[in-house]
Structures are given as C-alpha cells and as structure tokens.
Amino acid sequence: MEAIHKDWTTLAEKALRGQPLTMEEGLSVLEADDNEVLAIMNSAYQVRHHYYGNKVKLNLIINAKSGLCPEDCGYCSQSIVSKATISKYPLLEKSTLLDGARKALEMKVGTYCIVASGKGPTSKELDQLIEAVQEIKSTMPLKICACLGILSEEQAVRLKDAGVDRYNHNLNTSRSRFPRITTTHTYDDRQETVKKAKAAGMSPCSGCIVGMGETNEEIVEMAYALRELEADSIPVNFLNPIPGTPLEHLKELNPRQCLKVLALMRFMNPSKEIRIAGGREVNLRSLQPLGLYAANSIFVGDYLTTSGQEAAEDQRMIEDLGFEIELCAL
Ligand code: SF4
C-alpha cells in the first residue's frame, strides 16, 4: 500500500498568506494518490475554517425561463442543439417567482438564484424580472442572484438598482477549451459580463463545469482565471451528462477527483464562497459531505432541468457534519 507522503499543510499556509499555488502545486493536488485525499481535504478545511468556520450557505435556483435558447453550449439541455426532453416555457409570471422566494425562505436559503435561459434578457424580460425582484427585496430577507446571460452595462445598472445583490455568469471552462464547448458566444463575452456586473455594484459570481474532457492543467488554469476575475462566489459544477446533449457520452467523474478539485479551488480562492453546484449528487455520490470540508456553500432543491436530492437530506448532511446553516449571507 502506498504511504501518505506529502505535507499538504504547506499549501494551506500559502493560501492563508494569500499566495496562489504554482501550476506544479495545483497539479500535485489533482494528481495526488487517492490515499492523500483526506490529508488534502484536511488542509483545505484549515483554509475554509479560517474564513467561514463551519457555516454552510444555502442557495435555491428557480428556472425562470426554460429551454428555447439560441446558444449551443454543449453541456446544456436548454440549448438549440439539445435533444433532451425538458419542459420549455417563457419567463415565469411574477407570482411564480415570488412563490419560489417564499419557498427559499422556508428552506432557510440565504440566496435565491433567478436563472433564465437565453443569450441575454430582452428589455421586456428585464422589466418583468425587475418588478419581481423589487417586490421580493421589499418583502423578504433574501439575497438575490440573477443569472440571465450576457448583459450590457445599462442592463447591469438596472438590475443593481432594482436590488439584485449578485450576478452569475460562469466562465465554464478554460479559455482554450471554450470554443469546443460553445461557438455562439465567446469566453471574452462571459468574462466581460462578469466585469460589467461588478462595475455596476453587484457581487460577481462565476464558476466552472468540471468533467467536459479538460486536462488537469486546464482545471488549474480555470482556478487561476477565477482568481483573477475576483469572483466573490465560485460555483463548481461537475458535469451531469444529460441524454440528448452533445456531451451525453461523457462519464461522471470519480468522487475522489471531485474532492481534489474542490480543495484546489479553495487553495486558489481562499476567502471566496466555493459552492458545490450542479452534478453534486451524481458525481460526488456518497462522498458529498466531505466536499463541505473545502466548499462552504451548496444548492438545495432542484437544478435547472435535473433533480437534486431532498432538502431534508441536505439538512441532515449539514447536521451530521456538525456544521450550521448561514442565514441570508452573501
Ligand atoms: S448555458 Fe445558457 S446560454 Fe448556454 S445554451 Fe444553456 S441556457 Fe443557453
């Protein structure tokens, strides 16, 4: 049996000093023997604990507009090239968006994530969303994250003025892989939208999808890119290969590898909210709780077009770890 040989605490110390890992150090995490996983997670936990103690932030997604998207993102069941069987509908009524916000409150969720398919919002859609956001913000103690695609500067300012706290637009993958995943918009389009959201005063949220055929070097590059973008919140998705999408043939990741990715993201973005996002249940499987030693945030409830596990199971996981839910925090 291979012995545990490396002192991973040096990476935690480096992260706590605010220094990024080198490419070589990043790769050492991703390529470590599985015997090292607990030691790596222990070091990632030192960093997580320094900034977040044992708190876990909950987020709830509402798919405010489903399918009907002209873009061709290979992982996405809502794209124009997807043949996945999903429900398709235009922007939900305000009353439905408000019902979702009430459900979020009942579930002890801090951030309600309003996500709409499409390249970006039309002005009519933006007007409707703004009305809903204003009502939610004036009646409920919730943070709101909007994820509506590519934004203009003016749209970003309007969302901020309406009370949107955070804006999500994921970089998704490495710059070099991006054109193999999406051809209808660019990596730069995505980066620019995050910058516009930040300039408008919203908290920037941007993350990645791991498991789309990228190399370990590319995963480290993604961690660097997200660090440079200074996103406050980093959702780490693990590809759920949905039948009918161009990436349906890819396999789920092994759960130990997912843990190493989460640890890497924590080392590279020590003070940021690291969220285990889509694909948590199918990729981390029985090791989901260990992910929270690096990450401090999860989605509860369902994802955009796939189901999550029961909220009660998530609550129990957090309780079993001895961790506690952080209410209404960004
Ligand atoms: S990820 Fe967004 S932009 Fe890309 S296809 Fe899906 S809904 Fe459209």
Side-chain angles (χ1 to χ4, degrees):
M1 190 191 291
E2 244 178 276
I4 295 173
H5 55 83
K6 194 170 158 76
D7 181 8
W8 299 99
T9 54
T10 54
L11 300 191
E13 285 159 10
K14 200 167 181 188
L16 289 170
R17 288 196 301 271
Q19 295 169 342
L21 306 192
T22 62
M23 172 60 81
E24 198 186 7
E25 287 168 333
L27 287 175
S28 75
V29 173
L30 297 178
E31 290 167 2
D33 189 272
D34 285 343
N35 287 340
E36 310 268 2
V37 167
L38 274 184
I40 292 171
M41 295 311 286
N42 182 43
S43 284
Y45 177 61
Q46 288 171 32
V47 183
R48 180 243 206 260
H49 191 269
H50 178 83
Y51 290 102
Y52 294 100
N54 285 342
K55 299 257 198 280
V56 180
K57 233 200 82 184
L58 305 184
N59 306 264
L60 180 74
I61 288 182
I62 184 162
N63 193 355
K65 176 186 167 194
S66 182
L68 314 167
C69 183
E71 303 299 287
D72 69 352
C73 308
Y75 53 85
C76 179
S77 58
Q78 306 186 71
S79 81
I80 194 156
V81 293
S82 162
K83 295 182 177 59
T85 316
I86 57 161
S87 53
K88 299 177 183 176
Y89 49 84
L91 195 64
L92 294 173
E93 297 289 326
K94 184 171 79 174
S95 59
T96 313
L97 295 173
L98 262 77
D99 287 345
R102 280 186 278 272
K103 182 176 158 205
L105 271 187
E106 280 162 22
M107 293 168 82
K108 298 188 180 167
V109 160
T111 303
Y112 181 45
C113 304
I114 303 176
V115 184
S117 61
K119 186 163 195 160
T122 64
S123 44
K124 190 170 163 224
E125 287 167 345
L126 202 70
D127 290 346
Q128 280 175 252
L129 284 161
I130 281 173
E131 225 184 282
V133 167
Q134 284 170 331
E135 192 155 336
I136 294 166
K137 290 299 287 184
S138 62
T139 54
M140 294 179 228
L142 277 175
K143 301 286 183 194
I144 293 192
C145 178
C147 176
L148 315 172
I150 293 167
L151 288 185
S152 68
E153 277 162 30
E154 191 204 337
Q155 287 176 320
V157 170
R158 287 195 64 203
L159 287 168
K160 165 66 186 164
D161 290 348
V164 171
D165 300 282
R166 172 166 282 171
Y167 196 81
N168 165 267
H169 206 40
N170 293 331
L171 292 183
N172 283 337
T173 190
S174 67
R175 180 180 279 284
S176 60
R177 183 157 302 266
F178 194 93
R180 279 183 270 175
I181 303 295
T182 302
T183 66
T184 47
H185 59 268
T186 66
Y187 184 88
D188 285 335
D189 289 335
R190 287 186 167 259
Q191 221 175 23
E192 282 311 304
T193 286
V194 181
K195 288 179 183 168
K196 281 177 199 162
K198 189 177 181 188
M202 291 183 283
S203 161
C205 171
S206 188
C208 56
I209 307 173
V210 180
M212 299 198 293
E214 67 285 332
T215 62
N216 284 334
E217 281 82 0
E218 286 177 280
I219 298 176
V220 181
E221 278 168 28
M222 281 189 248
Y224 277 122
L226 293 166
R227 182 183 170 100
E228 273 164 33
L229 203 53
E230 296 182 327
D232 292 332
S233 171
I234 301 179
V236 182
N237 297 276
F238 298 105
L239 182 73
N240 183 354
I242 299 173
T245 60
L247 299 187
E248 66 179 356
H249 60 284
L250 293 176
K251 296 264 176 294
E252 285 91 13
L253 298 161
N254 98 42
R256 281 106 46 216
Q257 199 60 19
C258 297
L259 292 176
K260 292 172 199 169
V261 170
L262 291 168
L264 172 75
M265 291 296 165
R266 173 59 68 203
F267 290 134
M268 291 290 277
N269 299 279
S271 65
K272 306 300 186 181
E273 176 187 338
I274 305 287
R275 183 179 326 143
I276 319 176
R280 162 165 63 101
E281 293 84 348
V282 295
N283 287 280
L284 274 159
R285 301 193 284 278
S286 62
L287 299 192
Q288 286 183 64
L290 289 180
L292 283 173
Y293 284 105
N296 64 302
S297 177
I298 55 171
F299 282 113
V300 286
D302 293 335
Y303 301 101
L304 290 169
T305 64
T306 57
S307 305
Q309 69 185 15
E310 289 297 316
E313 276 185 62
D314 288 332
Q315 305 265 359
R316 173 174 298 200
M317 172 172 76
I318 293 165
E319 270 170 40
D320 287 352
L321 284 163
F323 289 5
E324 59 179 304
I325 293 169
E326 181 172 20
L327 293 170
C328 202
L330 259 193

